[in-house]
């Protein structure tokens, strides 16, 4: 099971299906906060569905196409950081992250994402990490910029969320730009 400590407060850990109830509870308590930005939030409606999601992502980790880790902050599950759609031949992957309601404002996402980027560049030896965020998701874009991500452009009508098609900012960070 993949796991490591980022600092005294934060640990990144591969999910165990036994933790699906805790993770689902965080999602349920954060629906209003996460729903406008993350499409799958509305489609995960039970602890059983979360359990199946965990099984699926752990399978993808074995297949080396995704790395999905949950963020633990002071002993509580606080969110997730993921490197998905890894393209080994291009040395690239897509980054996703979220923290639940009540965990924002503590620098948790920034520290967790920085830890995942270190893993991506120095363990997996990727060269490029991309992310997309809704153009209206100012918090996510601001976090990415603080970490050094550069905007490459806008992907028009890239994702349907709650009945609306949203444009997304395409951003990237190369290994030699990461500090």
């Amino acid at each position: 099971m993949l796991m490591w400590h980022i600092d005294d407060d934060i640990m990144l850990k591969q999910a165990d299906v036994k933790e699906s109830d805790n993770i689902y509870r965080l999602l349920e308590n954060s629906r209003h906060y996460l729903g406008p930005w993350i499409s799958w939030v509305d489609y995960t409606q039970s602890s059983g569905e979360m359990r199946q999601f965990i099984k699926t992502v752990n399978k993808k980790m074995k297949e080396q196409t995704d790395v999905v880790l949950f963020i633990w902050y002071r002993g509580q599950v606080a969110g997730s950081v993921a490197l998905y759609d890894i393209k080994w031949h291009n040395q690239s992957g897509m980054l996703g992250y979220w923290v639940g309601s009540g965990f924002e404002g503590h620098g948790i996402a920034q520290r967790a994402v920085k830890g995942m980027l270190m893993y991506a560049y120095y363990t997996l030896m990727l060269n490029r990490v991309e992310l997309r965020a809704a153009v209206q998701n100012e918090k996510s874009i601001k976090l990415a910029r603080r970490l050094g991500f550069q905007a490459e452009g806008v992907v028009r009508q890239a994702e349907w969320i709650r009945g609306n098609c949203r444009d997304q900012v395409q951003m990237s960070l190369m290994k030699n730009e990461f500090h």
Side-chain angles (χ1 to χ4, degrees), residues 86-93 125-130:
I86 297 171
K87 303 282 191 230
W88 294 105
H89 61 284
N90 287 332
Q91 297 178 332
S92 67
M125 303 307 290
L126 298 183
N127 181 59
R128 175 184 170 91
V129 175
E130 304 172 22

Side-chain angles (χ1 to χ4, degrees), residues 38-39 43 157-166:
I38 304 172
S39 61
Y43 304 115
Q157 297 184 14
E159 185 174 35
W160 280 95
I161 296 180
R162 296 184 170 180
N164 296 306
C165 199
R166 297 222 176 134

Side-chain angles (χ1 to χ4, degrees), residues 14-153:
Q14 182 178 349
D16 186 317
V17 291
K18 296 175 199 159
E19 298 163 337
S20 61
D21 290 342
N22 286 338
I23 296 168
Y24 179 73
R25 206 170 8 265
L26 174 65
L27 176 65
E28 187 65 27
N29 293 335
S30 303
R31 241 176 240 291
H32 66 285
Y33 177 68
L34 298 172
W37 312 118
I38 304 172
S39 61
W40 59 262
V41 167
D42 289 338
Y43 304 115
T44 307
Q45 294 295 322
S46 71
S47 183
E49 288 177 1
M50 181 57 71
R51 190 174 302 107
Q52 185 56 49
F53 171 77
I54 291 168
K55 287 179 183 178
T56 300
V57 298
N58 285 343
K59 181 178 183 267
K60 288 181 176 190
M61 285 181 66
K62 284 181 186 170
E63 295 167 352
Q64 297 185 324
T65 61
D66 295 26
V67 177
V68 179
L69 302 175
F70 284 85
I71 304 165
W72 290 80
Y73 178 71
R74 297 181 179 169
Q76 293 183 293
V77 65
S80 179
V81 61
L83 194 60
Y84 61 96
D85 198 22
I86 297 171
K87 303 282 191 230
W88 294 105
H89 61 284
N90 287 332
Q91 297 178 332
S92 67
M94 295 288 291
L95 178 72
Y97 49 87
W98 60 273
V99 293
S101 181
F103 290 98
E104 63 276 4
H106 300 286
I108 297 169
Q110 182 170 333
R111 290 182 278 166
V113 169
K114 191 169 185 176
M116 179 62 89
L117 290 171
M118 289 177 67
Y119 183 76
Y121 295 131
Y122 301 111
T123 300
L124 300 180
M125 303 307 290
L126 298 183
N127 181 59
R128 175 184 170 91
V129 175
E130 304 172 22
L131 71 83
R132 287 186 182 179
V135 295
Q136 302 90 343
N137 191 343
E138 295 172 11
K139 285 183 179 180
S140 186
I141 294 168
K142 187 176 177 180
L143 169 63
R145 285 196 173 122
R146 274 196 312 268
L147 290 168
F149 279 82
Q150 301 291 316
E152 297 181 326

